[in-house]
Amino acid sequence: MTNPFFEEWATPFGVPPFAEIKTEHFKPAYEAALKAHEAEIAAIVGDANAPSFENTIVALERSGAQLDRVDLVFSQLGSANTNETLQGIERDLAPVVARHWNAIFLNPALFARIDALYQKRAELGLDAEALRVLERYHLDFVRSGAKLSLADRERFAGIVERLAVLGTEFGQNVLADEQNTVFALSEAEVDGLPDFARAAAAEMARDRKLNAPYAVTTSRSSVEPVLHFARDRAVREKVWRGFVKRGANGNASDNHAIIGEILRLRGEQAKLLGYESYAAYKLADSMAGTPKAARGLLEQVWKPGRQRALDDRVALQGLIDEEGGDFALAAWDWRYYAEKLRLARFDFDENEIKPYLELWKVVEAAFHVASRLFGVSFVPREDIEGYHPDVRVWEVQREGKTIGIFYGDYFARAGKRSGAWMTSFRKQAKLDGAVIPLVVNTCNYLKPPEGQPALLSLDEARTVFHEFGHGLHGLLSNVTYPRIAGTSVVRDFVELPSQLYEHWLESKPVLARLVHYRTGEPISQALLDRMTAAGKANKGFETVEFVSSAILDMDYHSAAISENEDIPSLERKTLDDIGMPEEIALRHASTHFLHLFSGDGYAAGYYSYLWSEVLDADGYGAFEEAGDPFDKETADRLYKYVYSAGGSRDYAEAYRLFRGRDPDVKGLLEDRGLADLIPIEDGVAG
Ligand SMILES: [Zn+2]
């Protein structure tokens, strides 16, 4: 039996031959790739020659190519086109792959070679990029425990494996509570819900074989429409309570004990590595640098955000009183009355804008921006196959050369997890001749019936631009070494190219291209004005729910936490300290805070979105100051120092080279409509 992972891919640009890749190919492909990688590492370690950049770092860069090939395809299919068999393979492989990497990072002979090079790095005659790669490797190994004593290394490896198990359990528990908490609803109880939400709730009731016309679960996509639109206050309350109790129900999927153990183990991990807290360890490899710097930004935004929310609270209560509602605004009322307030204040209904935001027109607009800014063009390649019939493929060209392949996978379906993300099947590199990147954007838009247009909301259109910004970061990458290519940058910098790109959606030249899907008319100025004004609505609420979660993250990872810590009172303490308005809940409460506990990617890192927002709001200002959203000189600097540069340079320096100065938080406060608010001094700390 042939296995495509054991053969060269005789496809255009060597793209994965998805039609030939079958589920049963993955296990043998992984087994062979892990073995091959082990042999490559053994050869580097066993090299009798003294360590050199070439025989150690470059050799490491070349190693694992077979593993990458199967891993990158497998992980995208596991997220975007999965099934029970693939999920089973995923569970089996996770600990195996974790152990594989532990063995590499904790290999003393391998680290000795890297460390020897690092110690004399100034004398190696390396260019700036190569030096950066050597430093990056050294840091990767040190942060993964390479400098620990033998006894500590064993403990460290044990912690890493235990954390992997706990993280998987945490995520599965949240999923279990989301799927098992089902509210059956009558016709009267869904009063107010828009058609799309009603249809989804009807399908849910059919799926669950309930003796009711409608049902919702406690997943975010199911809950949000109820909180925004359900007229029945009791329905909003019970759904809200189910939502905020995910992972906190005292049942088999309760996450409290797991959180305690994770936090304690992370604290121990950081101590072993010589840091005073996990937050200090995590932030040491970020733009922010220290927990203090990250917290400083959070506090700066918290105060005006909270003030705006308190002002809005008064207005929302006013609406309730006007209606003759004899109750005080509660957490399950906020979104519902905020919708009403938006309509009353700005006369803007989202449904008015949707006909101008047809999916393929929005994608074309994202391409157009890239061509104006960076001179890239996109050629449809119907002959190149995706992993699903809905996936569309483009060849990306710049200065007459093919620089990458772009896959767009935009429609929701069974087997695709929710959310939106960018990933690649192959990273850019120039180490052994030009390797072009293969980049994917995945979204979850409702697929319309055959022949009907897919009309997006403004938020969904923003997401197209956001993910495409990440995509360009991968596609425009122009570095030698794969370790620092494209999006391989620190967490609080990676959202800059994506969040920045969102700004162009609402630029004049782009809006002019977004014409009504049926009439071909552009959006009227009156509608644009109302849309822009409404864009600042409810920002107090959004800021409060996000920033409070980010502060909780920093508190959890800054303190010494013992195994039996009472998690609810820790959470309560943070909220009391910052003066959390009681009508607003954390965007993610502890027991379902997947960013923090289902893996460590965003642990002590949830602030990153806000950190990058400072950069993107300030960065777009450079184009505004130039008076042209496509100003050539500004765009050239953006290409050179951000979109093509990967991690080849210090991030603060890269930003400074693009912008001509350090970022200023003012842009963020202006974009959120908070710039005019003086911090309130009411005795509340933080
Ligand atoms: Zn992003």
Side-chain angles (χ1 to χ4, degrees):
M1 197 178 82
T2 60
N3 184 329
F5 288 107
F6 296 147
E7 287 157 21
E8 285 292 311
W9 291 343
T11 49
F13 310 105
V15 300
F18 287 110
E20 289 165 37
I21 296 174
K22 303 280 177 274
T23 306
E24 62 267 25
H25 293 144
F26 286 109
K27 244 190 174 148
Y30 263 102
E31 278 164 17
L34 290 169
K35 249 194 214 125
H37 195 205
E38 276 165 28
E40 286 164 338
I41 299 294
I44 297 169
V45 172
D47 193 329
N49 297 305
S52 68
F53 185 76
E54 189 69 24
N55 74 19
T56 303
I57 302 298
V58 172
L60 279 169
E61 282 290 80
R62 288 192 178 117
S63 76
Q66 210 181 321
L67 182 56
D68 267 0
R69 204 159 77 131
V70 55
D71 213 22
L72 293 172
V73 168
F74 182 72
S75 53
Q76 173 64 358
L77 294 188
S79 301
N81 211 29
T82 194
N83 55 51
E84 269 176 37
T85 320
L86 274 184
Q87 284 174 326
I89 299 173
E90 213 168 16
R91 280 194 300 274
D92 293 348
L93 277 171
V96 177
V97 173
R99 228 165 289 141
H100 173 79
W101 285 104
N102 250 343
I104 293 172
F105 285 125
L106 297 173
N107 181 325
L110 180 57
F111 180 65
R113 293 183 75 92
I114 297 168
D115 196 41
L117 292 169
Y118 179 77
Q119 298 309 333
K120 54 174 189 192
R121 60 192 180 284
E123 302 137 46
L124 297 175
L126 299 175
D127 64 28
E129 194 188 322
L131 180 62
R132 182 103 178 141
V133 172
L134 169 56
E135 288 169 351
R136 187 64 252 181
Y137 264 94
H138 191 260
L139 194 60
D140 287 345
F141 273 72
V142 171
R143 289 177 64 79
S144 303
K147 275 185 160 178
L148 298 174
S149 70
L150 195 61
D152 283 351
R153 265 209 296 269
E154 259 173 50
R155 176 65 191 143
F156 190 88
I159 292 174
V160 170
E161 277 183 35
R162 178 69 186 148
L163 283 173
V165 172
L166 290 170
T168 310
E169 274 178 31
F170 185 94
Q172 286 173 355
N173 285 344
V174 175
L175 195 64
D177 269 12
E178 284 184 354
Q179 309 228 309
N180 299 339
T181 318
V182 184
F183 298 101
L185 301 175
S186 68
E187 187 68 51
E189 287 175 312
V190 297
D191 187 27
L193 257 59
D195 290 345
F196 77 90
R198 214 177 252 263
E203 200 180 312
M204 180 72 69
R206 276 195 301 275
D207 270 8
R208 301 295 179 115
K209 302 193 171 37
L210 294 176
N211 190 19
Y214 302 98
V216 293
T217 65
T218 53
S219 73
R220 187 177 289 278
S221 57
S222 204
V223 165
E224 291 265 2
V226 173
L227 295 180
H228 280 268
F229 301 111
R231 289 205 179 93
D232 188 331
R233 187 164 187 245
V235 170
R236 294 200 303 269
E237 178 175 355
K238 73 178 173 190
V239 170
W240 181 86
R241 287 190 186 282
F243 185 55
V244 298
K245 289 279 276 183
R246 287 170 296 151
N249 289 306
N251 54 12
S253 44
D254 192 285
N255 270 331
H256 284 110
I258 292 180
I259 294 172
E261 193 181 349
I262 289 177
L263 290 173
R264 191 188 62 70
L265 288 174
R266 283 182 181 159
E268 188 184 342
Q269 199 180 14
K271 286 264 152 50
L272 283 171
L273 293 169
Y275 292 91
E276 68 173 41
S277 68
Y278 187 80
Y281 159 66
K282 212 50 198 296
L283 276 286
D285 187 25
S286 72
M287 257 190 107
T290 63
K292 190 163 174 269
R295 190 179 281 271
L297 171 65
L298 293 171
E299 286 174 3
Q300 209 175 346
V301 179
W302 171 255
K303 286 174 189 169
R306 175 173 178 271
Q307 183 56 51
R308 173 69 77 227
L310 295 179
D311 293 346
D312 284 349
R313 181 171 71 180
V314 175
L316 297 176
Q317 186 65 52
L319 283 179
I320 294 172
D321 298 347
E322 248 171 61
E323 282 183 359
D326 187 20
F327 58 87
L329 178 79
W332 48 90
D333 299 318
W334 193 293
R335 291 174 176 86
Y336 180 76
Y337 285 98
E339 285 294 331
K340 293 192 164 204
L341 189 63
R342 191 158 59 103
L343 258 175
R345 275 188 182 164
F346 307 108
D347 187 28
F348 177 69
D349 177 353
E350 273 251 313
N351 293 319
E352 283 182 82
I353 197 80
K354 286 180 116 181
Y356 300 92
L357 301 174
E358 192 273 320
L359 170 65
W360 301 113
K361 281 209 171 66
V362 174
V363 172
E364 190 277 328
F367 289 171
H368 175 77
V369 171
S371 92
R372 297 278 296 269
L373 286 174
F374 308 125
V376 275
S377 55
F378 295 81
V379 184
R381 289 292 302 246
E382 267 141 39
D383 56 317
I384 295 181
E385 63 200 13
Y387 47 88
H388 184 278
D390 284 349
V391 179
R392 289 174 66 168
V393 186
W394 290 266
E395 181 182 333
V396 188
Q397 298 174 341
R398 186 169 189 269
E399 294 171 346
K401 276 191 298 203
T402 299
I403 60 158
I405 299 295
F406 177 68
Y407 295 77
D409 178 7
Y410 290 105
F411 294 121
R413 61 174 166 265
K416 190 195 268 194
R417 72 170 166 84
S418 58
W421 64 92
M422 167 272 188
T423 186
S424 14
F425 298 124
R426 190 169 70 207
K427 283 176 155 196
Q428 182 270 332
K430 290 188 292 195
L431 195 52
D432 299 299
V435 174
I436 63 163
L438 313 175
V439 166
V440 200
N441 272 183
T442 315
C443 295
N444 266 288
Y445 306 130
L446 232 47
K447 192 177 176 184
E450 199 60 42
Q452 299 280 311
L455 303 180
L456 306 185
S457 70
L458 191 56
D459 248 1
E460 289 170 332
R462 265 191 212 115
T463 303
V464 170
F465 270 60
H466 179 102
E467 297 309 329
F468 190 70
H470 282 309
L472 277 179
H473 200 193
L475 289 165
L476 295 175
S477 178
N478 188 19
V479 299
T480 302
Y481 302 95
R483 175 62 186 87
I484 55 162
T487 53
S488 304
V489 299
V490 288
R491 182 71 68 190
D492 53 6
F493 187 76
V494 79
E495 297 298 331
L496 168 61
S498 54
Q499 293 182 172
L500 180 62
Y501 212 73
E502 291 177 41
H503 289 264
W504 276 278
L505 173 64
E506 287 166 76
S507 70
K508 273 210 173 100
V510 171
L511 289 171
R513 301 179 72 83
L514 293 170
V515 295
H516 194 287
Y517 79 96
R518 227 179 16 228
T519 66
E521 298 267 332
I523 311 172
S524 74
Q525 192 56 46
L527 177 55
L528 277 182
D529 291 345
R530 283 185 287 127
M531 182 179 94
T532 309
K536 302 260 197 291
N538 212 27
K539 287 293 183 195
F541 172 90
E542 287 172 21
T543 304
V544 162
E545 66 160 5
F546 173 85
V547 176
S548 56
S549 298
I551 292 176
L552 180 67
D553 172 26
M554 294 312 285
D555 278 358
Y556 273 154
H557 290 104
S558 303
I561 305 244
S562 69
E563 188 98 34
N564 309 315
E565 205 80 47
D566 182 35
I567 299 302
S569 43
L570 277 186
E571 183 182 292
R572 190 64 253 164
K573 183 175 182 318
T574 290
L575 300 183
D576 289 345
D577 284 351
I578 61 177
M580 182 77 167
E582 64 178 280
E583 300 83 358
I584 301 178
L586 288 155
R587 181 157 180 86
H588 309 279
S590 309
T591 55
H592 46 261
F593 206 155
L594 294 161
H595 290 82
L596 308 198
F597 301 119
S598 77
D600 62 4
Y602 279 89
Y606 192 61
Y607 77 94
S608 297
Y609 293 99
L610 202 69
W611 190 273
S612 287
E613 193 180 325
V614 173
L615 305 182
D616 77 68
D618 183 76
Y620 193 69
F623 289 92
E624 291 174 328
E625 284 159 24
D628 175 3
F630 300 116
D631 180 65
K632 174 126 184 27
E633 277 170 36
T634 314
D636 285 351
R637 286 199 306 275
L638 185 61
Y639 171 80
K640 187 167 175 198
Y641 300 118
V642 178
Y643 281 89
S644 72
S648 61
R649 199 184 250 104
D650 173 74
Y651 303 104
E653 186 196 329
Y655 187 82
R656 221 173 286 131
L657 285 165
F658 153 60
R659 188 64 168 101
R661 59 166 173 74
D662 284 325
D664 187 332
V665 71
K666 236 173 46 207
L668 175 150
L669 293 172
E670 275 163 13
D671 283 0
R672 285 183 178 244
L674 303 175
D676 57 321
L677 286 172
I678 305 152
I680 42 157
E681 302 299 339
D682 59 357
V684 173

